[in-house]
Amino acid sequence: MRDLALIFGLALAAALGVGLLGALALRLLRARSITVHVCVLLTVTVTAVVAGVVVVAQAMFLSPHDLQVVLLTVAAAATVSLGVGWYFGRRLATAAVWADQARERERRVEKGRRDLVAWVSHDLRTPLAGLRAMAEALEDRVVDDPATVAEYHRRIRGQTDRMTRLVDDLFELSRINAGALRLTLSAVPLGEVVSDALAGTAPLAEARRVRLVAAESGWPTVLASEPELARVVGNLLLNAVHYTPSDGTVRVEAGREHDAAWLAVADTCGGIPEGDLPRLFDVAFRGEPARTPRSGGEGSGGLGLAIVRGLVEAHGGRVDVQNVVGGCRFVVQLPAA
């Protein structure tokens, strides 16, 4: 009985020594990844078993041959245990990290969905209230002179167009997020798309006294779907005109580098806070009040830039924004034809 107690004590002492060293190592490595922690913990466990067996084997006064056999057996078992444990430990750590990232993505998506509902509800409530008030005024004949009636009709049409644009943006965004967007790629002259977008934006820019300037040459041909590319350019131009103050300038230029073409839209909005730049393409993000478009009914619920990013990425390109002197500059990169 005393021999068994002695053997237990020796094995326990050896295992405790290894365990204390392992606890110190884990404390020093507390800032490392889950994989490192799992591997260290597994190594400590196997090493504690090996240390206990070695100490007990030496205390039993085994012959050199028998001691060698015991040590080889323990080493083989430890190698297999460490290999299997390291492999499954990495898989476990990867799964844990993936699950944590998935939960974080789910939280971001849910927050974005709530923000989107809040923004859309706000942007729909305003025109609906105006439509209701004007419709009731016309119905009750509060206004009856032809000039005022015509003005009310014009405003109703404008508010209806605003709601139509918002619904179109929601539909486009849902197609992008659902992966239902199907592109028909072809060689598209970027200069023609920009020219059409400038013509469509010119009335709004003229009303806001914003100058539209486009490069005279250097327009590349891109591999893209023309309707979606036109929407990208149009959204960028509308966004630039919305945030550019009177007597400001919106400049459009393009070029080609190797197998990629680029399109840049620069404005004189005064710049964007650095903290807002990474979130500028998020759904329904508008930033500080100074970045909210002035009244006029052209807003799109903060969806325009989110649609731009989705459409550009669907083409295999990317869109970036950076502050420049006096404003900001959006750069779209697409595959060149």
Side-chain angles (χ1 to χ4, degrees):
M1 193 65 181
R2 288 184 57 191
D3 292 341
L4 293 177
L6 179 62
I7 291 174
F8 176 77
L10 291 174
L12 181 62
L16 282 175
V18 175
L20 291 174
L21 292 176
L24 179 62
L26 288 172
R27 182 174 179 81
L28 295 176
L29 298 173
R30 60 183 178 274
R32 302 298 294 276
S33 64
I34 298 177
T35 303
V36 172
H37 280 77
V38 171
C39 292
V40 171
L41 182 61
L42 180 63
T43 302
V44 170
T45 303
V46 174
T47 304
V49 174
V50 172
V53 171
V54 170
V55 170
V56 171
Q58 290 180 342
M60 293 176 63
F61 300 105
L62 298 178
S63 65
H65 178 268
D66 292 342
L67 180 60
Q68 187 177 14
V69 171
V70 171
L71 295 179
L72 288 175
T73 303
V74 172
T79 301
V80 173
S81 299
L82 288 174
V84 173
W86 176 80
Y87 175 73
F88 285 100
R90 285 197 62 183
R91 292 187 58 182
L92 178 63
T94 302
V97 172
W98 181 86
D100 184 66
Q101 292 175 347
R103 286 192 295 270
E104 180 62 28
R105 284 195 300 268
E106 185 177 353
R107 285 193 292 267
R108 288 200 302 267
V109 169
E110 182 61 27
K111 183 179 182 303
R113 187 180 296 113
R114 290 196 302 268
D115 292 342
L116 176 59
V117 171
W119 279 110
V120 171
S121 299
H122 174 270
D123 282 1
L124 285 176
R125 188 182 300 114
T126 301
L128 284 173
L131 288 172
R132 182 184 181 90
M134 287 183 287
E136 289 178 350
L138 292 172
E139 182 180 15
D140 297 338
R141 298 187 182 278
V142 175
V143 293
D144 54 6
D145 60 288
T148 306
V149 171
E151 176 64 17
Y152 273 38
H153 286 161
R154 187 189 67 80
R155 292 184 181 181
I156 290 175
R157 175 62 182 272
Q159 297 289 11
T160 304
D161 291 343
R162 178 184 177 187
M163 295 176 63
T164 301
R165 284 192 294 270
L166 181 58
V167 172
D168 289 344
D169 284 346
L170 286 172
F171 177 71
E172 190 73 26
L173 194 62
S174 66
R175 291 175 62 206
I176 295 171
N177 292 336
L181 189 64
R182 298 293 180 265
L183 301 178
T184 303
L185 301 180
S186 61
V188 179
L190 188 56
E192 296 181 4
V193 175
V194 172
S195 178
D196 292 341
L198 288 171
T201 313
L204 176 62
E206 184 178 355
R208 292 179 177 270
R209 292 188 300 167
V210 174
R211 293 186 300 275
L212 296 177
V213 179
E216 296 182 357
S217 60
W219 300 100
T221 300
V222 299
L223 185 64
S225 175
E226 187 169 353
E228 283 73 19
L229 180 60
R231 180 137 202 189
V232 167
V233 179
N235 282 8
L236 288 175
L237 286 174
L238 285 174
N239 178 79
V241 172
H242 285 162
Y243 295 117
T244 299
S246 298
D247 298 325
T249 302
V250 173
R251 184 178 301 274
V252 188
E253 55 188 353
R256 177 167 178 165
E257 294 179 357
H258 306 294
D259 294 332
W262 58 269
L263 169 73
V265 178
D267 57 41
T268 54
C269 66
I272 302 171
E274 293 294 332
D276 288 348
L277 287 177
R279 302 176 54 198
L280 203 62
F281 297 96
D282 291 351
V283 174
F285 178 76
R286 286 173 174 167
E288 61 184 17
R291 289 289 300 169
T292 300
R294 293 164 288 174
S295 61
E298 301 89 355
S300 60
L303 307 180
L305 292 181
I307 292 173
V308 167
R309 181 176 64 178
L311 293 178
V312 170
E313 291 179 352
H315 282 84
R318 73 173 189 270
V319 57
D320 299 302
V321 59
Q322 60 183 357
N323 285 322
V324 294
V325 177
C328 60
R329 186 172 186 260
F330 291 82
V331 179
V332 174
Q333 291 189 350
L334 293 170

